[in-house]
Each structure stands twice: as structure tokens, then as C-alpha cells.
Amino acid sequence: MPRIALFPGSFDPVTNGHVDLVRQAARLADRLVLAVGTHPGKAPLFTAEERLAMLEETCAPVARAGGCELRCITFADLAVAAARRESATLLIRGLRSAADFDYEMEMAGMNATMAADLQTVFLPASPSVRPITATLVRQIAAMAATRRPSCRPPVAARLRAKFAR
């Protein structure tokens, strides 16, 4: 039976931090499902379709290199519901700091009450990507910063195009 992991997030945009976690998760699963959350109350910079495309462009080669199949989906409900639909037994969550840990522990506890068969796996961000957040990447791009070491070239190109308008 294949080991399936779900990694939910907004991925708005895909950062090198996300790619780092995909690299790590690909070593743990046979199939990694990247799940783009779409919530009506949020106004993302990129459409769900654009975020799926960025994930495919930046993460598929990384997953393949780790010997892992990659699937990208959207979901508009709970992550545990998306995990069930995908037959995932692992829920991937990244940690950058102690503050992330505290928040993620609360989420893992709630998820465990709703889906006892779903194991949350915390992956520490590599030191070089710990300061990166999608919010910071968007803010820097909006200020027309030319250097974008926090995301892959295809994502940087999409950011430039988005803010060139």
C-alpha cells in the first residue's frame, strides 16, 4: 500500500521554503499531494490555477528527484477532509520557529480529534529558508525589489508580471 502524504497550504506564492519541505516530504511518502486551500474570505494574489501551475513547475522536479509521485489539488474545506479524499495517512506541516510549533501543535491536536488515522508530521525548515514567508515574498515583490532569492525563477517571473501592471 503506498504511503500518501498531504501538504496543505495557501502557496501564495510558492516559496523556497515550500520547495524545501517538498524535498523533505518526498523522502517520506510514495505520493505527495500538495493541496492549495481556497477560502472565500481570503483574497490571494494568485488564482488557484496559477498556484497549481507554480507548484507543478517548482515542486514536481523536486518530488521526482526524491522518488515520489506528486499530485496538486485544491480544497475549500478542512485539510483532514482533503486528506481523506486523497487517502492520505500523513499530514505534512512545516516549522520555522517556536511560534509555528505552538500553533501547529494546536492544529495537530484538533486534526487528531477529527481524523485519528491521520498522522501529523512536523518538518523543520532548513536554516537557509527559515526567514521566508509567502507574505514577505509578496511584500518585497510589490515594492519592485529586483532580487528574489526566496523563490524559484518561474515564481519570480510570475511575481514580476503580477506587479508590472
Side-chain angles (χ1 to χ4, degrees):
M1 189 160 131
R3 185 174 289 243
I4 302 169
L6 183 98
F7 177 15
S10 62
F11 305 104
D12 186 38
V14 179
T15 69
N16 285 345
H18 295 127
V19 175
D20 175 59
L21 293 174
V22 166
R23 179 188 53 76
Q24 293 182 57
R27 295 187 297 213
L28 303 175
D30 300 306
R31 181 182 317 137
L32 178 60
V33 180
L34 302 180
V36 175
T38 59
H39 304 287
K42 291 195 173 186
L45 177 63
F46 291 99
T47 67
E49 293 74 24
E50 289 171 318
R51 290 179 277 162
L52 289 169
M54 283 187 281
L55 286 169
E56 289 284 348
E57 289 169 338
T58 59
C59 297
V62 174
R64 275 195 303 274
C68 183
E69 176 190 338
L70 184 76
R71 178 170 152 76
C72 300
I73 65 165
T74 60
F75 73 103
D77 53 355
L78 297 172
V80 294
R84 279 194 187 110
R85 284 192 298 278
E86 295 296 321
S87 301
T89 56
L90 302 173
L91 184 66
I92 303 297
R93 300 302 297 161
L95 300 176
R96 292 176 304 233
S97 66
D100 283 355
F101 179 78
D102 289 341
Y103 172 78
E104 293 296 343
M105 281 297 290
E106 289 178 13
M107 291 300 296
M110 185 55 69
N111 288 340
T113 65
M114 293 184 287
D117 56 334
L118 185 63
Q119 176 67 52
T120 298
V121 177
F122 296 135
L123 297 176
S126 295
S128 63
V129 298
R130 281 190 192 139
I132 299 172
T133 69
T135 301
L136 288 175
V137 171
R138 286 192 309 271
Q139 289 172 344
I140 291 166
M143 291 185 256
T146 55
R147 211 167 153 255
R148 293 187 180 83
S150 54
C151 59
R152 296 289 201 261
V155 175
R158 287 175 184 269
L159 283 164
R160 278 191 300 277
K162 196 64 89 166
F163 288 109
R165 298 179 186 153

